[in-house]
Amino acid sequence: MNTTQQTQLPAYDHRPGAGPTLVFLHYWGGSARTWDLVVDRLADRDTLTVDFRGWSRSSGLPGPYTLGQLADDTLAVLADAGVTQYVLVGHSMGGKVAQLVAATRPAGLRGIVLVGSGPAKPAAQITDEYREALSHAYDSPESVAGARDHILTATELPASVKAQIVTDSRTVAEAARTEWPLRGIAQDITERTRMVGVPALVIAGENDQVEPADVLRRNLVPYLPQTDFVVIPHTGHLIPLEVPADLVDAIKAFAPAA
């Protein structure tokens, strides 16, 4: 596996295997290693995981940390890694970034998988008060643990994974930590999402409190072409950590190895 960190390029891990490459984009509070339990189950596949600008190994990179910048960074990473045929797999905030990348219609893109994704059209619950409260969810290890146990998950996680969530949510540049709740989550990208020209798979968690299935049906699916919609039972918002095997099954069915 190749691990890369350049001065202005986000850190990423590229593991060679059968294509098309599966490119994993993490949630607000996550990192490249959010996908470890998924990637470990895809041993034969070409995979690429990214630490978004401002997060984890990329926490020292300067801003801006906007969705548009994260999309530009993703395209730059793909070029740096030499990836030519790929499927984007974006979780939550990463799903919204994936929509923006796909809207540019890059030549090598073959599909997008949106996992508990931020919808193209912000949900009605995304009020100013909601955003202000959300911006403080990761203020301390204790607040992260509270969000993890009462909002983000619907299943019991191993202690090591619980600790990872706290560490990742706190290893972040301050401006990156607040960018999503204060601005990115409320950004309406419906006109961009309508420009996506590849097949899409939208995956919802049955018990997801952050991006409920009904919100994704109303505020995301109608703006995508050729869309399949899958609800994974029993899981909350942290689908890659709660039910990685079920997620892998859905990804493989949608994007089999060539």
Side-chain angles (χ1 to χ4, degrees):
M1 179 172 68
N2 295 324
T3 300
T4 298
Q5 172 73 77
Q6 296 183 3
T7 304
Q8 296 297 321
L9 194 68
Y12 67 88
D13 302 312
H14 185 200
R15 191 189 67 190
T21 306
L22 299 172
V23 179
F24 294 96
L25 307 176
H26 67 77
Y27 74 105
W28 177 67
S31 71
R33 66 177 183 162
T34 296
W35 299 101
D36 284 355
L37 297 175
V38 173
V39 171
D40 288 349
R41 290 170 167 80
L42 292 164
D44 61 330
R45 294 297 298 268
D46 199 271
T47 61
L48 189 150
T49 54
V50 182
D51 283 323
F52 277 138
R53 180 177 297 267
W55 293 91
S56 194
R57 295 170 298 171
S58 303
S59 59
L61 293 184
Y65 305 106
T66 61
L67 294 177
Q69 180 63 57
L70 301 187
D72 289 345
D73 284 345
T74 300
L75 289 168
V77 164
L78 290 169
D80 188 73
V83 170
T84 57
Q85 306 285 328
Y86 58 96
V87 173
L88 295 171
V89 185
H91 176 219
S92 196
M93 178 181 76
K96 205 162 183 178
V97 174
Q99 294 168 59
L100 292 177
V101 174
T104 70
R105 299 199 168 191
L109 182 62
R110 294 294 172 259
I112 57 172
V113 180
L114 303 176
V115 184
S117 176
K121 181 179 180 180
Q125 74 182 63
I126 309 301
T127 61
D128 290 347
E129 293 77 15
Y130 177 94
R131 290 156 55 199
E132 176 61 28
L134 185 62
S135 72
H136 296 289
Y138 301 156
D139 279 358
S140 68
E142 293 76 19
S143 65
V144 174
R148 176 198 66 203
D149 295 341
H150 302 294
I151 299 172
L152 293 174
T153 61
T155 58
E156 184 63 27
L157 296 173
S160 60
V161 175
K162 286 186 172 184
Q164 173 186 314
I165 292 168
V166 173
T167 299
D168 285 351
S169 298
R170 297 284 297 155
T171 309
V172 57
E174 177 67 15
R177 182 176 64 85
T178 58
E179 176 63 32
W180 170 252
L182 294 182
R183 285 169 285 277
I185 197 172
Q187 187 175 338
D188 188 323
I189 62 167
T190 51
E191 293 309 309
R192 300 292 301 279
T193 303
R194 290 183 193 275
M195 298 171 66
V196 174
V198 294
L201 172 64
V202 175
I203 298 175
E206 180 185 26
N207 301 315
D208 190 336
Q209 299 180 60
V210 179
E211 303 294 355
D214 60 341
V215 169
L216 298 184
R217 285 191 183 96
R218 291 193 308 265
N219 292 39
L220 178 57
V221 171
Y223 302 102
L224 289 162
Q226 311 171 61
T227 309
D228 292 329
F229 187 82
V230 172
V231 177
I232 296 181
H234 312 307
T235 185
H237 188 59
L238 297 190
I239 296 170
L241 296 170
E242 294 185 78
V243 286
D246 291 342
L247 180 55
V248 166
D249 288 345
I251 292 171
K252 283 183 173 181
F254 176 77

